[in-house]
Amino acid sequence: MLTPEEQREIEEEAAHFPLRRAASIDALRVVQKHRGWVSDDAVKDIAAFLDTSPDDIDSVATFYNLIFRKPVGRHVIMVCDSVSCWVMGYEGLRDRLKSRLGIEMGQTTSDGRFTLLPVVCLGACDRAPTMIVDGQLHANLDLETIDRILERYP
Amino acid sequence: METPLTAKIRPDGEMIDLAAYERAGGYQAARKAMRMAPAEITELVKKSTLRGRGGAGFPTGQKWSFVPLGPAAPRPKYLIANADEMEPGTFKDRVLLEGDPHELIEGMIVAARAIEAERGYIFLRGEYTDAAARLSRALAEASAKGYLGRNVFGSGADFDLRLHLSGGRYMCGEETGLLNALEGKRANPRAKPPFPQVSGLFGKPSIVQNVETLCNLPHILDKGADWFVKLGLTGDGGTKLYGASGKVKKPGCWELPMGTPLRELLERYAGGMRDGVRFRGVLPGGASTDFLTADHLDVPMDFTAVAKAGSRLGTGTMIVLDDKTCPVGMVHNLEHFFAQESCGWCTPCWSGLHWAEEILWAIESGRGTPADFDRLDHVTKMCGPGNTFCALAPGAVEPLQSALKYFREDFERHIREKRCPWRNGQ
Ligand SMILES: Cc1cc2nc3c(=O)[nH]c(=O)nc-3n(C[C@H](O)[C@H](O)[C@H](O)COP(=O)(O)O)c2cc1C
Ligand code: SF4
Ligand code: FES
């Protein structure tokens, strides 16, 4: 079930569109904000709330890089793997993160603390390499700063 | 040198709020626009020679002239700011969105007046969280003053402007993919015709315009078309937000006269190459443009001259390739991006780009063969203009086809030595 708060936030968006289903991505964002990810049940609940089918909602959910259809850790690290960051040392950074956390890209640490994902260009290429952690941009990264940044996310 | 787009941006990185924006002359252009007839604004913008800053360079005034006007036009009409900025290597709209959100809002009021739009959206990529917070604040400030919503500036016209946060997908920046995304669907593109100006969002007349394009409008209204034309060094008017990333001494973003030569951008503004590396090439306008090389450094960075040199001005933000970076690896990285972001609607793109990515990876990891050149040529032809539904695929093969031309000996060396000379140390 969608919580009353989720329903209120989704309704606020849906009310501005001539068709309720237009708020599908807003609804997915709302649910993910509250629960961290979007489960199959949540997809069904959103579909019912927006007068459309679960397949319809899932086709949208799976289209987007920022919607998670599997559980994620307490903190989500998204490392930019696009061209300017690649030129400026993305591969070394990625390998450092993988070995520090003991996981591959796309995995979550066994203590549930971090999920590690690649992401496309974050629009901060003049400060490459970059990553976002829980939505917060970290730029001009190098192997040392990255360790200190991780400590800030218990 | 005049820098109208960025002049109001605060050096401390904070956004300029409504009061400060107005003290600096802000919202006078919007007031003026509300006293002008819509067709008069479109004429002015046509005369200014303003061309779209989102990558394609279509003349803005001409685009508006296809929107039906008057009481018989379908309603509501929509104006959408394209703030998706997901083209790799591009970080110019971020500067405007974070630094001067009111400039975008004012530009949208002007454009909405010209096409008589009563609804607007700012379509913002979800990762731009700072820009989202600042735009929300600016929208609230402008609404509270009556600059948005009902009866804008007492003109009798309404303009309801909302912020939409996207879920992250390159295709959402493509004009018709964006319209589908706003309707809550997958961002597949739409067949044209009908063009969005006639039948766009929810089937109503709609205009999608890049952030930087819209931010130029208040200044054109303020200072006139002739002034705008003269800002440019060549035929294309105005200033341009240029940028550079890669191994240059001072990567960054600068507002300069349209048509500033490539050499000046790289040497004077980006500070030249870092110590120990040499310049080999540059993607002049984001990931989906053809490489230019040292032979092209005197090209003026405007729409016409860059096209003549065999590439595109694109977004005007350059990605520099140096001699310590593998060109095959760089192009593999680019094709990985395009293959991943392909929406899957048409076969040359979803299939061809994955093939290109695979073949490039084979070459990069020492498994390439001479036959791979023909295979890559085939993909670039299949994905070329006219064979696909939207411009993602033709853009995707631009860096590939030009790399095959300018850096062919590097591809050959990978195949001959069965390894990447850069990865194993030269
Ligand atoms: C795959 C793809 C992605 C695009 N992404 C953007 C974008 O993020 N921002 C943008 O302004 N234009 C983008 N465009 C260009 C738009 O389709 C459209 O031309 C532009 O928004 C029109 O505005 P303008 O005339 O002001 O440039 C993209 C085009 C393609 C093919
Ligand atoms: S060219 Fe690619 S991105 Fe564009 S419609 Fe075809 S498959 Fe989709
Ligand atoms: S390429 Fe990484 S921020 Fe643009």
Side-chain angles (χ1 to χ4, degrees), chain A residues 80 82-85 121-125 130:
Chain A
C80 172
S82 288
V83 62
S84 306
C85 290
C121 176
L122 294 169
C125 329
T130 64

Side-chain angles (χ1 to χ4, degrees), chain B residues 171 189 342-346 349 388-390 392-393:
Chain B
M171 264 307 291
S342 164
C343 80
W345 199 243
C346 45
C349 177
T388 60
F389 228 82
C390 85
L392 184 144

Side-chain angles (χ1 to χ4, degrees), chain A residues 58-78:
Chain A
D58 206 21
S59 78
V60 174
T62 53
F63 192 76
Y64 288 104
N65 301 333
L66 301 180
I67 298 298
F68 307 137
R69 286 286 279 111
K70 287 181 188 167
V72 290
R74 278 201 300 291
H75 307 291
V76 179
I77 305 173
M78 300 180 100

